[in-house]
DNA sequence: CAAATTTGTTAGATTGTTCTAACTTATTAC
DNA sequence: GTAATAAGTTAGAACAATCTAACAAATTTG
């Protein structure tokens, strides 16, 4: 059974995996805020338990076993976040840290009951998909708001970044998932985007912010 | 800040403390299922952080700081058990193991919200008192059923042992906290006690079981 | 391509938590 | 009150997870 530390490494590898499912040691070390030798030695030990495939100087690859294990931890993390928001009155900006701890609890029943109480949700409070209990995750393809054209009407559906600072920024603009936005215009100068939505007839969003907002185009 | 391991030691010391608040190394080792040298070395390190007072060959004593820390972990444990039973549909025999993990979560809000959702309970699902948020715990003085006389009417109020096996035994007899019992008789031979309660006109409880049932005498 | 830079590895140390074996002190039994 | 037993300690080792310093390989740059 994976330790909490190992679980955090598996999750980081899962989240950092690109199209090829490869992760560089330096990206892994960076993501977990450990030194490269630490990441290197952990990867070697994950290999011994068949969680990853690894060869010197090559990027790390999760095995199918490692992928499933990682996805199930992501599942526990996201179910927890949803539970905290929907059932315990947490704000979406407050849940990540706690979920980072609760995801390591070993108790199938605890998470199954959360799932049931939540009505089997498929996304977490930040719009990220929740893997099913077999570790399968549906991939959604949303459009960043930064890629939208003036005149388009869209619905805010997910975020590419869920840092507390960004979530608090969204709170301050009353932007939450599900909100309908109309793209008014776009500044050629700095790529900022002007949108309109209920109670906010004109709101300007920087390129940085609009890249992080994923939307579903309406009609 | 105490590690999960240290927290478990503090909690064990708290629960094993007798009238004098003293705990032998061997009782501590036994309680935590570690070797005596392990308990010994941990106690030395707890002493460095001022959680305990310790001198070679003397029993361990929690400092006021250690007592408060321990009581707050017991609080998290018991609030969690109550939450799992009252809000998440767990049986009272299923909660201890999970609570043993969840008690180490660092998030005041998480436990404050549980407390609030539960209406600020003072006892856990097994009748044990929940320390308040300052680490103060009310001591109740209940009578073991084994000390009751025939003819007495009592209410089942708490347990001195909450092992899953004992709780399942109680489930099988439909004995839960709050049940009103009438003591019918007592066997001089083996100290077993015959009781009567709703839907169970005659039920015999061994001395072992009746010692573990704490009751409040009615009238 | 050779030099500079980035990325990755090895070696060696540290801290936390655990163990067994051997020894010492304290307590109990006779 | 000695002898046997129980309780407690020390020494030494192991494993997990981390670090820094030094070195090596791979990649990028001019
Ligand atoms: Mn999160
Ligand atoms: Mn985590
Ligand atoms: Mn318990
Ligand atoms: Mn615990």
């Amino acid at each position: 059974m994976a330790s909490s530390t190992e679980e955090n490494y598996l999750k980081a590898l899962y989240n950092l995996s690109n199209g090829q499912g490869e992760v560089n040691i330096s990206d892994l070390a960076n993501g977990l805020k450990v030194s490269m030798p630490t990441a290197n030695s952990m990867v070697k030990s994950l290999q011994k338990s068949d969680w990853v495939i690894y060869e010197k100087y090559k990027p790390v690859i999760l095995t199918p076993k490692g992928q499933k294990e990682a996805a199930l931890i992501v599942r526990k993390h996201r179910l927890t976040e949803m539970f905290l928001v929907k059932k315990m009155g947490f704000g979406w900006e407050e849940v990540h840290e706690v979920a980072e701890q609760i995801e390591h609890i070993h108790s199938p029943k605890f998470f199954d009951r959360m799932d049931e109480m939540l009505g089997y949700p498929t996304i977490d409070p930040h719009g990220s998909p929740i893997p099913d209990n077999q570790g399968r995750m549906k991939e959604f393809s949303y459009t960043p708001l930064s890629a939208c054209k003036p005149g388009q009407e869209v619905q805010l559906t997910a975020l590419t970044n869920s840092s507390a600072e960004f979530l608090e920024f969204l709170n301050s603009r009353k932007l939450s998932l599900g909100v309908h936005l109309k793209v008014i215009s776009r500044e050629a100068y700095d790529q900022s985007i002007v949108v309109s939505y209920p109670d906010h007839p004109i709101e300007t969003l920087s390129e940085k912010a609009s890249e992080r907002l994923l939307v579903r185009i309406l009609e």
Side-chain angles (χ1 to χ4, degrees), chain A:
Chain A
M1 197 172 59
S3 68
S4 294
T5 308
E6 288 174 319
E7 290 187 343
N8 284 335
Y9 278 84
L10 291 174
K11 194 157 62 87
L13 287 167
Y14 184 80
N15 289 327
L16 293 167
S17 285
N18 57 25
Q20 272 74 216
E22 300 186 336
V23 182
N24 298 324
I25 296 282
S26 77
D27 292 342
L28 179 61
N30 242 297
L32 288 167
K33 286 165 178 176
V34 296
S35 66
M36 284 209 298
T38 299
N40 179 268
S41 90
M42 192 64 191
V43 161
K44 285 179 184 172
S45 102
L46 289 174
Q47 189 192 23
K48 288 207 185 114
S49 317
D50 274 325
W51 303 114
V52 303
I53 292 164
Y54 169 66
E55 284 173 274
K56 256 197 198 184
Y57 297 106
K58 297 265 176 66
V60 189
I61 303 174
L62 280 172
T63 60
K65 174 186 165 190
Q67 277 172 48
K68 180 172 181 183
E69 184 75 7
L72 291 176
I73 300 158
V74 169
R75 172 177 167 78
K76 293 197 282 181
H77 182 101
R78 294 185 179 165
L79 273 178
T80 298
E81 290 189 342
M82 204 62 174
F83 187 84
L84 293 172
V85 168
K86 296 287 187 194
K87 300 292 171 185
M88 296 189 74
F90 278 62
W92 68 348
E93 77 287 358
E94 302 177 299
V95 295
H96 180 78
E97 282 245 315
V98 199
E100 201 56 54
Q101 300 174 62
I102 296 182
E103 68 191 0
H104 304 293
I105 300 293
H106 293 290
S107 168
K109 181 158 185 163
F110 183 55
F111 296 99
D112 286 350
R113 288 293 296 123
M114 278 189 189
D115 197 22
E116 192 182 334
M117 290 169 75
L118 291 166
Y120 311 102
T122 57
I123 55 163
D124 81 3
H126 314 111
S128 303
I130 299 175
D132 69 20
N133 57 20
Q134 298 305 303
R136 288 179 299 247
M137 189 166 77
K138 193 169 285 175
E139 284 298 338
F140 296 102
S141 56
Y142 299 129
T143 313
L145 179 63
S146 57
C148 292
K149 306 269 171 292
Q152 277 187 315
E153 300 206 6
V154 301
Q155 182 176 30
L156 182 54
T157 311
L159 310 172
T160 57
N161 173 289
S162 303
S163 65
E165 310 80 64
F166 183 48
L167 295 170
E168 272 154 20
F169 165 80
L170 298 179
N171 284 346
S172 73
R173 308 291 154 108
K174 296 274 182 297
L175 279 168
S176 56
L177 296 192
V179 165
H180 285 231
L181 306 169
K182 178 158 188 178
V183 181
I184 304 294
S185 67
R186 166 192 230 146
E187 281 298 333
Y189 168 59
D190 63 358
Q191 310 301 314
S192 63
I193 284 198
V194 181
V195 294
S196 166
Y197 55 97
D199 294 325
H200 292 246
I202 297 177
E203 192 73 68
T204 304
L205 298 167
S206 70
E207 183 185 28
K208 184 168 178 181
S210 59
E211 279 172 342
R212 294 171 165 196
L213 297 172
L214 298 178
V215 302
R216 203 164 56 76
I217 293 160
L218 300 172
E219 289 127 298

